[in-house]
Amino acid sequence: MGVAVAWCVVKSADLLAEAARRRTFAIISHPDAGKTTLTEKFLLNAGAVVTAGSVKAKAGGRSATSDWMELEQTRGISITSAAMQFEYRDHMFNLLDTPGHKDFSEDTYRVLAAVDAVVMVLDAAKGIEPQTLKLFEVCRTRNLPVITFLNKFDRPSRDPLELLDEIETQIRLRPTPATWPVGDGEDFLGVIDRRRNVFSRFTRTARGATMAPEELMSFEQAAAIGGSAWKRAMDGCDLLEAVGADVDLESFLAGSSTPVYAGSALTDFGVKHLLDAVVELVPPPPPRPDRDGVGRPVDAGTSAFVFKVQANMDKSHRDRLAFARICSGHFERGMTMTIARTGRPFATKYASTVFGAERSTVEEAFPGDVVGFVNATDLRIGDTLYDGDPVTFPGLPSFAPELFTGARPLDTGRSKQFRRGLEVLEEEGVVQVLRDPDMGDSSLVLAAVGQLQFEVFAHRLEAEFNAPVELTGSPYQAIRATDAASAERLKTIGGIRILRRGDGATVALFENKYRLQRLLADEPELTLTPLNAEFS
Ligand code: G4P
């Protein structure tokens, strides 16, 4: 029996059922708000790991064996994004990891293009922090539904009503609490489930390594044991009731309200409520709009788009992984798909799933799932793959860079390796490489949204291609796309440099933002387009 016969085995009804049970999402947070801890507790509650701590342990193991992870280890951050898949209540969760370090990188944005919703984690003692705000803005531009988790109530926390206020005023989302904390710090007893009118009382376990035992109580029972913490919590709930702050699916899906959950990832209080929310509120994979805005039905021919490319994740492998999200159809390893950009066939023999640092061969996948293609040198970020009816999904936005630096090879004897490294890292989207057409690779400008991208670039060029690079800094403050006619005029003005990007676009770099603003006002006929109108 050929593989082709096996593809037909998944009937449309089964395919739709598989898609309907997928939940593909990411967790976003300011560093230290508790994203990693919450991820561990998700895995623990779903039965995917037996004790919390294994995700970090895995990350540690990975750092020891992989060379460019040295950078990750010394900075104490997570640079790679992986997808984790686990089952909970008959649903298949795809949790895409967003890098959690304080520097931005384009990776984070790209991951958010591949999910159907996000869980935003806030530290209940701190509220909204700068990075949460920035990440949230990306969610807003994509209309992503956001569930909020107020974390760390096992520590002295701010008044939860004050936190709701902050969500409303700073990110302009109407908060609708689904659970409400009873007490904080040592007195944190559990959470009220506002929709079911029960109190979940939790008991701490040693170091929070195992699931916290939960006891369900009526309000009368809770009042008898809860003391002043219970009374305060009920006062809060009465207020919420009075203003009608109830979970509303429609406005959540439209991105205008956010269901709020309270708890403590460390002690596993309220985490199961949040997992249930992912099942009940996060939408299953929708038809993904193609370039013309027409949604491809999830039971159409298999299709996927590449949202991330990453090389040399592990020294022992020395390979390159292209991560694709399945958008429609039944994916089976071995099937031949078409790359929309080139029209060329793509054999999917080397498909794998990635769980932390570990990977295993994937035999099949459904809409919402993430598949890693090993050594798929033909694939680029933003590529569409399809089988059956042709489709092209909109490319992933590249982001308006805010940081620039000059770069030049330190060892001119290794220019071949330098060029090869540039090619690989540019294609992976590690940084944007800008060239002066007259000077080639000897004088480059790199552009990025986060400083860390430059560091990763320099580290990898040296570690993987043995081609050390010197980052020389740059006086530029702003960038715009332009055209040949405008470029001629711009060349006559001081403090502006005209360069070419890898995709052929002509760009103008400005030493001074104000000069750019003056030009926009004084010479409106010049073409000076923001690089990414969507996010700039
Ligand atoms: P991140 O991925 O968002 O950066 O945060 P992470 O989970 O690594 O958590 C950052 C710190 O906050 C960790 O402490 C973690 O234990 C702690 N934390 C997370 N959730 C809670 C919570 O609900 N309550 C309390 N009290 N602490 C929490 P650390 O000391 O930096 O690391 P570790 O030594 O505990 O691993």
Side-chain angles (χ1 to χ4, degrees), residues 29-37 56 151-152 154-155 264-266:
S29 77
H30 191 84
D32 280 344
K35 186 164 66 77
T36 313
T37 313
K56 273 192 179 163
N151 190 28
K152 304 197 186 182
D154 62 305
R155 281 197 188 152
S264 151
L266 190 69

Side-chain angles (χ1 to χ4, degrees), residues 197 217-226 230:
N197 282 330
M217 291 183 169
S218 69
F219 284 4
E220 290 72 30
Q221 289 169 313
I225 58 128
W230 175 260

Side-chain angles (χ1 to χ4, degrees), residues 295-357:
R296 182 165 175 101
V298 286
D299 59 349
T302 314
S303 67
F305 78 93
V306 179
F307 65 94
K308 184 173 172 55
V309 172
Q310 193 159 58
N312 304 357
M313 287 175 77
D314 191 328
K315 199 176 189 172
S316 56
H317 290 296
R318 279 270 172 225
D319 56 14
R320 177 178 182 276
L321 270 171
F323 293 97
R325 177 194 154 126
I326 307 294
C327 300
S328 65
H330 178 217
F331 170 83
E332 270 221 337
R333 188 171 72 85
M335 70 191 296
T336 300
M337 299 176 79
T338 303
I339 305 172
R341 177 177 46 84
T342 58
R344 287 169 59 181
F346 176 74
T348 63
K349 191 167 160 204
Y350 300 106
S352 64
T353 51
V354 181
F355 184 92

Side-chain angles (χ1 to χ4, degrees), residues 61 269 278 292 365 445:
F269 283 27
V278 174
D292 302 322
V445 175

Side-chain angles (χ1 to χ4, degrees), residues 143-214:
N143 271 333
L144 279 175
V146 176
I147 297 176
T148 303
F149 185 65
L150 303 177
N151 190 28
K152 304 197 186 182
F153 271 104
D154 62 305
R155 281 197 188 152
S157 304
R158 286 169 57 187
D159 179 347
L161 286 169
E162 203 181 293
L163 293 169
L164 298 190
D165 231 26
E166 201 163 291
I167 294 170
E168 182 128 41
T169 50
Q170 291 207 25
I171 63 180
R172 301 186 309 283
L173 269 185
R174 193 164 58 83
T176 56
T179 65
W180 197 245
V182 177
D184 67 335
E186 288 292 309
D187 295 330
F188 184 38
L189 304 176
V191 296
I192 294 170
D193 184 335
R194 289 188 63 230
R195 294 191 295 170
R196 295 179 184 84
N197 282 330
V198 287
F199 172 56
S200 287
R201 183 192 191 184
F202 292 100
T203 307
R204 296 178 194 215
T205 63
R207 296 184 308 280
T210 51
M211 279 167 63
E214 178 186 13

Side-chain angles (χ1 to χ4, degrees), residues 247-267:
V247 174
D248 172 54
L249 194 61
E250 200 178 324
S251 56
F252 160 67
L253 293 176
S256 62
S257 75
T258 178
V260 177
Y261 290 77
S264 151
L266 190 69
T267 57

